[in-house]
Amino acid sequence: MHDAEGEVREHYAAVHSRLTSLSAEALAERQKTLERSFLLQGVTFTVYGAESATERIIPTDLVPRIIPAAEWRTIEAGLTQRLQALNMFLADVYGDQRILMDGVVPRELVLGAPSYRREMRRLYVPHKAYANVCGSDLIRGQDGRFAVLEDNLRVPSGVSYMLANRDAAKRTFPGVFQSSNVRPIERYPDLLLATLKSMAADWRPNPQVVVLTPGVYNSAYYEHAYLARLMGAPLVEGRDLVAYENMIYMRTTTGLRRVDVIYRRVDDDFIDPLAFRRDSNLGVAGLFNAYRAGNVVICNAPGTGVADDKAVYAYVPDIIRYYLGEEPILPNIETFLCREPAQLSHVLANLDTLVVKAVGASGGYGMLVGPHASAAEREAFAEAVRADPANYIAQPTIQLSTAPCLIDGRLEPRHVDLRPFILSGEKIVVTPGALTRVALRRGSLVVNSSQGGGSKDTWVLADGDAPEVRP
């Protein structure tokens, strides 16, 4: 909110003026009202392993994060470029594998990844759009530029909290919001539905889209139900669908209804017990055969995880250059691959300064934040890395940028990252907003909701005059 000289940044002027006009008691009351609103709406998230209730509300901060129009244009162009290249990468590694034969990405890294699905080889995907919904995580470096921390191409969560945060921000600061020239995000459900329908066969008019959820005990169940309701699409579990003659039908009170597109929020392993894990009760027996026959579309496509593998991430700049002949607009974070002996030695010698991650893990699990870990924790992690070095990467400990948050009635800085959402079907669309994730504990760098992190609204400003200050 303030620059290095302590001056209020121009694009924060309206929000700063409003915040300073309110007493601490008034701010605290608005924060409580916001939390009550989330509770009444059921905006919840399950933290696995928590001893308290199964679900809790998403901790949400009422102070918005603001991104100027010019800065967003760079983010938008960079994310579009990145997803275009990653979709081309997926089409290639499940097709001719040119990039592997040319040695740009190591063959064993891709074909040996647990998330690589040999079942997807030579399988046609409409528009070559494998990752229909992508949530890339960005951080702002010390030079002020945004960089990509990781890509999430499988079943990224958080977009419902982005929409809920926007509703809350509008109610909390109605005057400031209306005068700040904020770009709208409310059309996201319509854009998502249009993207999903664009994946259906051309000869199927008004294709039937469903949202496939693992069920109420999944950590993101609220989001599944919320998106289905906003899109007007049925929310189904595996038991609600049936395969018959290589087609997928939904059980309804009036009989079976054919399904054309499945927006699945179920991991690859569980979508079809006949094709993947046999013990799965979450998927649909015969779904993959219907998919292979072209009678139904699964979004995101199975096997997209190989492109967001944390080891493949290190090669994304080369992937962009290879397919697009362009320099990456958004840089990567320096990454050490423990599968390389020289880099492994460096990682083991510098565990106290690095963040080490398991390549297939997500949600903040399977990682070591070296500077915040004890000597015993570092040694235990070093043992795991030595036992299976190919399963780990390491990155420098990035001091995430901070944003002001209302903590116990006072504004205090907390570390944040940024998760924009990108849709890919017939075309690529970057939603002009994002989920800003917040590490609520002082000094913490862990922003994941699954690790107890919170969120706040992100205002992307439209081109035009500076926002007018209004109460």
Side-chain angles (χ1 to χ4, degrees):
M1 189 175 290
H2 296 84
D3 60 21
E5 284 71 40
E7 298 295 324
V8 176
R9 299 179 193 277
E10 182 181 359
H11 54 278
Y12 268 107
V15 169
H16 181 269
S17 174
R18 186 61 181 135
L19 287 172
T20 54
S21 73
L22 296 170
S23 65
E25 292 74 19
L27 285 173
E29 184 56 37
R30 293 191 180 209
Q31 180 71 42
K32 288 180 182 175
T33 301
L34 184 155
E35 291 169 358
R36 280 197 297 270
S37 167
F38 271 49
L39 186 61
L40 290 173
Q41 293 179 70
V43 185
T44 58
F45 193 88
T46 301
V47 178
Y48 294 132
E51 295 178 357
S52 54
T54 301
E55 294 180 280
R56 62 179 61 172
I57 65 168
I58 298 292
T60 300
D61 183 68
L62 60 78
V63 183
R65 182 185 192 176
I66 303 177
I67 298 178
E71 193 167 40
W72 184 257
R73 279 196 293 273
T74 301
I75 294 173
E76 186 175 38
L79 293 174
T80 301
Q81 177 195 57
R82 197 170 179 96
L83 186 54
Q84 185 181 0
L86 288 173
N87 271 329
M88 295 173 76
F89 172 73
L90 287 162
D92 190 13
V93 299
Y94 289 118
D96 295 336
Q97 301 185 341
R98 291 186 299 112
I99 198 168
L100 306 185
M101 289 189 287
D102 290 341
V104 177
V105 181
R107 174 182 293 272
E108 66 277 9
L109 180 64
V110 174
L111 303 187
S115 49
Y116 184 81
R117 300 292 176 186
R118 298 183 186 282
E119 297 86 350
M120 289 293 293
R121 284 298 311 274
R122 304 293 180 187
L123 199 153
Y124 170 73
V125 173
H127 313 300
K128 296 184 178 179
Y130 286 75
N132 307 104
V133 181
C134 174
S136 293
D137 292 338
L138 308 184
I139 61 171
R140 190 192 291 276
Q142 293 184 346
D143 61 357
R145 296 177 62 200
F146 278 99
V148 179
L149 183 61
E150 64 181 35
D151 304 289
N152 297 283
L153 304 179
R154 306 179 203 198
V155 283
S157 295
V159 73
S160 62
Y161 310 124
M162 175 187 79
L163 297 170
N165 283 340
R166 175 57 50 86
D167 285 344
K170 284 181 175 179
R171 290 194 300 272
T172 306
F173 298 116
V176 177
F177 181 84
Q178 289 174 13
S179 61
S180 292
N181 211 13
V182 181
R183 293 183 63 182
I185 58 172
E186 289 75 7
R187 289 191 61 229
Y188 178 84
D190 295 334
L191 292 172
L192 174 60
L193 184 60
T195 297
L196 297 172
K197 285 187 173 182
S198 77
M199 298 295 292
D202 293 339
W203 50 271
R204 292 283 295 169
N206 194 24
Q208 176 68 60
V209 175
V210 299
V211 179
L212 177 61
T213 177
V216 68
Y217 294 109
N218 184 266
S219 64
Y221 178 76
Y222 159 76
E223 175 157 299
H224 308 163
Y226 184 78
L227 289 176
R229 177 168 59 82
L230 292 182
M231 288 194 296
L235 178 69
V236 299
E237 298 182 25
R239 60 190 175 185
D240 299 318
L241 302 178
V242 60
Y244 179 69
E245 293 187 343
N246 269 352
M247 287 182 278
I248 300 298
Y249 295 89
M250 172 175 55
R251 293 185 173 95
T252 75
T253 55
T254 57
L256 297 179
R257 184 186 306 168
R258 183 168 170 184
V259 172
D260 300 287
V261 180
I262 298 175
Y263 178 37
R264 57 75 179 249
R265 301 298 297 261
V266 177
D267 291 340
D268 284 0
D269 280 343
F270 301 98
I271 58 174
D272 182 350
L274 298 183
F276 304 109
R277 282 186 53 157
R278 294 184 178 182
D279 60 344
S280 171
N281 293 318
L282 303 177
V284 185
L287 172 58
F288 196 78
N289 272 344
Y291 179 55
R292 183 183 294 280
N295 293 329
V296 69
V297 179
I298 302 172
C299 301
N300 293 342
T304 52
V306 73
D308 70 16
D309 181 284
K310 289 179 174 58
V312 171
Y313 160 88
Y315 294 92
V316 172
D318 293 329
I319 290 171
I320 292 172
R321 296 184 189 101
Y322 182 79
Y323 292 114
L324 301 178
E326 303 170 358
E327 284 300 309
I329 297 171
L330 295 172
N332 264 23
I333 304 298
E334 182 183 21
T335 301
F336 302 100
L337 299 172
C338 296
R339 62 187 301 115
E340 303 292 339
Q343 297 184 40
L344 171 63
S345 298
H346 175 81
V347 170
L348 292 175
N350 295 278
L351 277 181
D352 58 336
T353 64
L354 298 173
V355 175
V356 188
K357 302 176 181 176
V359 296
S362 61
Y365 296 98
M367 64 185 289
L368 174 83
V369 181
H372 296 173
S374 66
E377 290 170 332
R378 288 197 291 270
E379 182 50 39
F381 219 83
E383 190 173 334
V385 172
R386 289 190 195 97
D388 187 11
N391 189 41
Y392 293 93
I393 60 99
Q395 295 170 326
T397 304
I398 305 296
Q399 284 300 317
L400 304 181
S401 59
T402 62
C405 298
L406 189 65
I407 307 293
D408 297 329
R410 297 188 311 169
L411 290 177
E412 293 186 8
R414 288 292 185 270
H415 292 293
V416 296
D417 77 354
L418 187 74
R419 175 174 287 185
F421 295 91
I422 313 104
L423 298 174
S424 174
E426 195 171 7
K427 57 185 178 181
I428 294 178
V429 179
V430 181
T431 307
L435 178 70
T436 289
R437 301 189 301 174
V438 182
L440 290 171
R441 285 189 295 113
R442 187 195 301 269
S444 173
L445 299 174
V446 180
V447 298
N448 305 73
S449 299
S450 53
Q451 300 290 315
S455 68
K456 60 166 61 210
D457 193 20
T458 309
W459 294 4
V460 174
L461 302 185
D463 283 314
D465 298 334
E468 173 191 0
V469 178
R470 289 176 52 180

